[in-house]
Amino acid sequence: MRDLSNLAPETEIEEAEDSSVLLSIGDLMSGLLMFFALLFITVQIQLNQKVAELNEKLARIEKLERELVTYRKAFEALPQIIVKTLEGKLGGKDIFTVDPETGDVSIRDRILFDENSAALKPAGKKFLQSFIPLYSRVIFSDKKFEDQIAKVVIEGHTSSKGTEQENLNLSLRRAESVLNYILSNEVNFPTKAKFKAKILAAGRGEIDAKQNRDEPSDRKVVFRFQFRRETLKNLNLDNR
């Protein structure tokens, strides 16, 4: 008859080993579950942060778009504001005109200069003494205008009569004469210091003149705005 006295200990050992294996697998599964749970939480946090950053950038874009619409409306109205400010105060179209699209103010050279001269006439000085304070007042009447008008370019223009180089030199000297007179003590207005920081002189010569004839209307001094450019450079959406 077989002796079963030693069977129980062996069975107990096998059961203990099986239990140990089960515990190890259970611990492994628990560890894996913990790992994936932490991984999921980490990914979720990072995803939420990215979504929040994207929402913030989209909000900034929407804000900028609204601001651009506001600026566009303001600058579409700017030419008419200039017309209304100057109208009836400085004479008629035989002295100056305002471009209804851009707000450019073109002043006939006959009131400012004698032919082939860059020396301002008394009538030209008197005109500038009245014109500049009104023109400057428009620019600084609205913070949007003040911020976005980077420069006021004083352009000298000539007809095609004479040589190209002579006309270019004359146009520049005339623009500089106007600028220098504005900066002189003869022209005073509240916003002069700020206006001074925006103006510059440029000579265009006969570039924009009719080349087939000597057209008196081509001789002029133009006050033209140079605007700042609105971009999305501060909204770096590629940094995702």
Side-chain angles (χ1 to χ4, degrees), residues 36-101:
F36 283 114
L38 291 173
L39 181 61
F40 175 78
I41 292 171
T42 301
V43 171
Q44 191 68 32
I45 292 173
Q46 292 177 344
L47 181 60
N48 289 340
Q49 289 175 340
K50 291 295 183 181
V51 170
E53 290 174 1
L54 181 58
N55 287 337
E56 181 182 350
K57 289 174 181 178
L58 289 174
R60 289 165 60 194
I61 291 175
E62 291 174 356
K63 180 182 178 183
L64 179 58
E65 288 176 343
R66 290 194 298 269
E67 290 177 350
L68 288 175
V69 170
T70 301
Y71 275 111
R72 190 179 300 114
K73 290 181 178 178
F75 283 99
E76 285 174 354
L78 180 58
Q80 288 306 311
I81 294 174
I82 294 174
V83 170
K84 290 179 180 179
T85 301
L86 304 180
E87 194 174 47
K89 298 177 182 178
L90 301 175
K93 293 184 178 180
D94 59 326
I95 298 177
F96 74 95
T97 58
V98 181
D99 189 306
E101 298 295 327

Side-chain angles (χ1 to χ4, degrees), residues 174-237:
R174 285 181 166 180
E176 289 175 339
S177 290
V178 172
L179 184 147
N180 290 334
Y181 185 70
I182 293 171
L183 300 181
S184 74
N185 293 330
E186 294 185 43
V187 183
N188 295 294
F189 51 99
T191 55
K192 184 172 182 176
K194 292 194 291 185
F195 189 70
K196 176 183 177 180
K198 289 184 179 293
I199 57 176
L200 59 86
R204 296 282 294 174
E206 61 183 72
I207 292 175
D208 300 325
K210 297 176 180 62
Q211 297 301 312
N212 57 346
R213 68 178 186 274
D214 177 23
E215 178 61 54
S217 63
D218 288 333
R219 303 187 186 101
K220 58 192 174 184
V221 171
V222 179
F223 282 72
R224 176 168 292 159
F225 296 130
Q226 189 177 87
F227 298 105
R228 301 185 192 280
R229 294 184 61 186
E230 286 289 340
T231 68
L232 299 179
K233 62 183 179 181
N234 294 322
L235 300 178
N236 185 10
L237 297 182

